[in-house]
Amino acid sequence: MKSIQLNPLGAMSQLSKLEVDKLNQSADSQLYYLFRSCCLAVLNSGAETDNCENLFDENEQFDIKLISRERGVKIELVNPPAIAFVDDKLIKGVHEHLFSVLRDLLHMGESFNGAEFPGVSESAYITHKVFDMMRNAQTIKNTAELNLVVCWGGHSIGETEYQYTKEVGYQLGLRELNICTGCGPGAMKGPMKGATIGHAKQRYRNGRYLGVTEPSIIAAEPPNAIVNELVIMPDIEKRLEAFVRMSHAIIVFPGGAGTAEELLYLLGLMLNEQNKEQVLPIILTGPKVCEGYFDAIDRFIGATLGKEAQSLYEIIVDDPTRVAQTINEKRADVRAYRKAKGDSFDFNWSLKIEQEFQVPFVPTHASMSGLNLHFDQPKAELAANLRKAFSGIVAGNVKAEGVKLIREQGPFKLDGDRELMALMDELLQSFVVQQRMKLPGSEYVPCYEIM
């Protein structure tokens, strides 16, 4: 049996006696098992897999313990995976990420209590939770640089697409723009890797590579090695809210169902009448070989959400320099809008997010078949329901709970307007053909059925 003890880092370096006691109480609960799973994912940073069940099965003997000390808490790893070590020493970035997990899941997970804010709406309280988690992780810097670019895209992409994401990141880095992604491989890693080179050339010493994830996806998309700020949000909805409130611009690279979910979430917010004046540059971009991908996405958005939704983003194909220049030029507009609204430069409080986009959607066979996938509803609401449909497909593809449900009860069934179902089927089939649903290596079996 191999065992190693780790000293605390970052926000967990100094804890009170009460905080240590709280953590030890948590260690006996279901929250502890979630903590173990997330730490195992972090320890597998760099592993080329999105099969969370295989990850857990291969590391069945792994365990993690909390050791109380008067000045804080240590982590003890029992039988950790070898990939996390170099010459029998734990990689420093992995060490940092483990304590980020401890901070977010065991400490922050225990600290919220809605009774603290009587009379506050659930929507406002959820936004408070998002802000409090990001602030506690020290990601809200108050630098007024307005240079955090959120990059979305698939974990399963080809080499040409990956190199393109690196080139975009490089061009952003040359302009001293920082990167925030979902922290995993593929299009989440490429922009960070490229930005490190751009930052190095400019001798920019404040490079930020912020990774925002959540417990149910982290095992399928372990944090890549470049992430220097890791935050684990409680669920996908709070993760998405953190992305959009922290961002000064958003880039969408090619991806599968998860990327479609993110884009539909974003467009659903921006279609809200109260967000008409929001200034948030949105660019869809990829190499020349992905031109057809963006044509398909744009057609789907136009046919479902209309021309207004299409007007919210710009598609730039095969031009990383122009992508970075466009975002850099629009920083002044973002600054002017935030100043006019008296809003924070580092957390977009003025963005209106309806509760429909905030309350966690739990994909089950009943909840998926019960989605309102019909055209006779406001566009923002249709976007919310489409987002949930794609979120369920992501769960069925790579999230442990969803994979188990599909194995036991068969595929999720999606039903709605015939035309809308045909549009969804066409888009999803294109993702399957392009191997965007899961990493290549095995035949993809759909976790959904279009009725």
Side-chain angles (χ1 to χ4, degrees), residues 253-446:
F253 295 108
T259 304
E261 174 188 4
E262 290 163 337
L263 181 58
L264 287 163
Y265 173 90
L266 177 60
L267 295 178
L269 300 187
M270 300 303 284
L271 286 170
N272 188 313
E273 288 293 328
Q274 296 183 57
N275 291 327
K276 293 293 185 186
E277 297 179 2
Q278 280 286 334
V279 178
L280 181 62
I282 304 168
I283 296 177
L284 280 57
T285 189
K288 186 69 174 176
V289 294
C290 294
E291 197 163 14
Y293 170 88
F294 289 114
D295 287 343
I297 288 286
D298 191 47
R299 284 197 307 272
F300 180 79
I301 297 299
T304 55
L305 303 181
K307 290 185 176 180
E308 183 183 356
Q310 289 175 305
S311 71
L312 295 170
Y313 54 80
E314 180 180 359
I315 298 176
I316 299 176
V317 176
D318 206 30
D319 196 343
T321 301
R322 185 177 156 213
V323 171
Q325 286 176 337
T326 301
I327 286 175
N328 201 35
E329 290 167 359
K330 291 186 176 181
R331 286 168 71 185
D333 296 335
V334 176
R335 182 183 298 275
Y337 173 79
R338 299 280 181 98
K339 288 184 71 174
K341 290 291 183 180
D343 203 353
S344 166
F345 287 152
D346 299 289
F347 193 85
N348 190 350
W349 290 100
S350 64
L351 183 70
K352 176 64 177 177
I353 302 182
E354 297 289 355
Q355 196 168 318
E356 181 73 10
F357 289 90
Q358 295 178 305
V359 175
F361 172 70
V362 180
T364 64
H365 287 77
S367 65
M368 289 289 280
S369 64
L371 288 174
N372 180 6
L373 300 176
H374 297 83
F375 283 115
D376 58 344
Q377 58 183 311
K379 297 298 185 186
E381 292 180 19
L382 176 57
N385 284 305
L386 287 170
R387 196 282 300 180
K388 293 175 183 176
F390 281 96
S391 186
I393 292 170
V394 174
N397 283 342
V398 298
K399 296 185 179 182
E401 301 88 344
V403 170
K404 183 181 178 183
L405 271 178
I406 300 303
R407 185 172 58 246
E408 294 175 348
Q409 301 180 38
F412 293 133
K413 290 178 170 56
L414 295 170
D415 198 5
D417 286 339
R418 183 183 297 271
E419 181 185 353
L420 182 53
M421 293 298 96
L423 290 166
M424 286 191 67
D425 193 34
E426 180 184 5
L427 186 63
L428 288 166
Q429 283 299 319
S430 72
F431 293 165
V432 174
V433 170
Q434 297 167 26
Q435 295 187 310
R436 298 188 183 279
M437 291 297 207
K438 285 180 68 68
L439 288 172
S442 60
E443 183 180 356
Y444 174 68
V445 178

Side-chain angles (χ1 to χ4, degrees), residues 2-17:
K2 181 177 180 178
S3 175
I4 179 175
Q5 291 188 7
L6 306 177
N7 289 317
L9 295 175
M12 307 305 290
S13 60
Q14 294 291 330
L15 297 181
S16 73
K17 185 69 167 60

